[in-house]
mmCIF file of all heavy atoms in Angstrom:
data_model
loop_
_atom_site.group_PDB
_atom_site.id
_atom_site.type_symbol
_atom_site.label_atom_id
_atom_site.label_comp_id
_atom_site.label_asym_id
_atom_site.label_seq_id
_atom_site.Cartn_x
_atom_site.Cartn_y
_atom_site.Cartn_z
ATOM 1 N N ALA A 63 161.720 -49.756 -2.204
ATOM 2 C CA ALA A 63 162.523 -49.601 -0.987
ATOM 3 C C ALA A 63 161.702 -48.954 0.126
ATOM 4 O O ALA A 63 161.997 -49.132 1.312
ATOM 5 C CB ALA A 63 163.770 -48.775 -1.270
ATOM 6 N N PRO A 71 157.043 -44.257 11.561
ATOM 7 C CA PRO A 71 157.460 -43.969 12.947
ATOM 8 C C PRO A 71 158.224 -45.109 13.610
ATOM 9 O O PRO A 71 159.202 -44.874 14.326
ATOM 10 C CB PRO A 71 156.134 -43.693 13.659
ATOM 11 C CG PRO A 71 155.217 -43.224 12.583
ATOM 12 C CD PRO A 71 155.610 -43.961 11.348
ATOM 13 N N LYS A 127 178.067 -66.181 -6.231
ATOM 14 C CA LYS A 127 179.233 -66.814 -5.613
ATOM 15 C C LYS A 127 178.834 -68.047 -4.809
ATOM 16 O O LYS A 127 179.509 -69.086 -4.862
ATOM 17 C CB LYS A 127 179.970 -65.813 -4.721
ATOM 18 C CG LYS A 127 180.718 -64.731 -5.485
ATOM 19 C CD LYS A 127 181.453 -63.771 -4.564
ATOM 20 C CE LYS A 127 182.608 -64.410 -3.845
ATOM 21 N NZ LYS A 127 183.393 -63.407 -3.073
ATOM 22 N N ILE A 289 180.036 -71.217 2.230
ATOM 23 C CA ILE A 289 180.923 -70.056 2.282
ATOM 24 C C ILE A 289 181.708 -70.074 3.590
ATOM 25 O O ILE A 289 181.135 -70.191 4.669
ATOM 26 C CB ILE A 289 180.106 -68.750 2.163
ATOM 27 C CG1 ILE A 289 179.467 -68.662 0.775
ATOM 28 C CG2 ILE A 289 180.987 -67.531 2.429
ATOM 29 C CD1 ILE A 289 180.454 -68.523 -0.369
ATOM 30 N N PHE A 298 180.423 -52.860 5.601
ATOM 31 C CA PHE A 298 179.166 -52.403 6.192
ATOM 32 C C PHE A 298 178.120 -53.514 6.299
ATOM 33 O O PHE A 298 177.087 -53.326 6.938
ATOM 34 C CB PHE A 298 178.591 -51.239 5.371
ATOM 35 C CG PHE A 298 179.222 -49.921 5.681
ATOM 36 C CD1 PHE A 298 180.426 -49.562 5.109
ATOM 37 C CD2 PHE A 298 178.617 -49.030 6.562
ATOM 38 C CE1 PHE A 298 181.024 -48.341 5.395
ATOM 39 C CE2 PHE A 298 179.204 -47.805 6.861
ATOM 40 C CZ PHE A 298 180.418 -47.466 6.271
ATOM 41 N N ARG A 374 150.641 -32.687 -11.939
ATOM 42 C CA ARG A 374 149.371 -32.817 -11.234
ATOM 43 C C ARG A 374 149.543 -33.437 -9.847
ATOM 44 O O ARG A 374 148.578 -33.842 -9.207
ATOM 45 C CB ARG A 374 148.383 -33.646 -12.061
ATOM 46 C CG ARG A 374 148.087 -33.038 -13.446
ATOM 47 C CD ARG A 374 146.904 -33.728 -14.103
ATOM 48 N NE ARG A 374 145.674 -33.475 -13.356
ATOM 49 C CZ ARG A 374 144.916 -32.393 -13.464
ATOM 50 N NH1 ARG A 374 145.270 -31.417 -14.316
ATOM 51 N NH2 ARG A 374 143.824 -32.261 -12.738
ATOM 52 N N ASP A 380 158.709 -44.013 -15.683
ATOM 53 C CA ASP A 380 158.562 -44.744 -16.934
ATOM 54 C C ASP A 380 159.630 -45.825 -17.051
ATOM 55 O O ASP A 380 160.672 -45.778 -16.386
ATOM 56 C CB ASP A 380 158.681 -43.785 -18.114
ATOM 57 C CG ASP A 380 160.036 -43.080 -18.144
ATOM 58 O OD1 ASP A 380 160.264 -42.212 -17.267
ATOM 59 O OD2 ASP A 380 160.857 -43.391 -19.012
ATOM 60 N N GLN A 405 143.845 -38.296 -11.626
ATOM 61 C CA GLN A 405 144.865 -37.470 -12.280
ATOM 62 C C GLN A 405 145.355 -38.142 -13.560
ATOM 63 O O GLN A 405 145.588 -37.483 -14.582
ATOM 64 C CB GLN A 405 146.052 -37.203 -11.334
ATOM 65 C CG GLN A 405 145.678 -36.665 -9.965
ATOM 66 C CD GLN A 405 144.614 -35.574 -10.019
ATOM 67 O OE1 GLN A 405 144.783 -34.562 -10.701
ATOM 68 N NE2 GLN A 405 143.519 -35.785 -9.302
#
Side-chain angles (χ1 to χ4, degrees):
K127 288 181 68 174
I289 294 294
F298 279 82
R374 301 192 66 83
D380 60 289
Q405 309 316 304

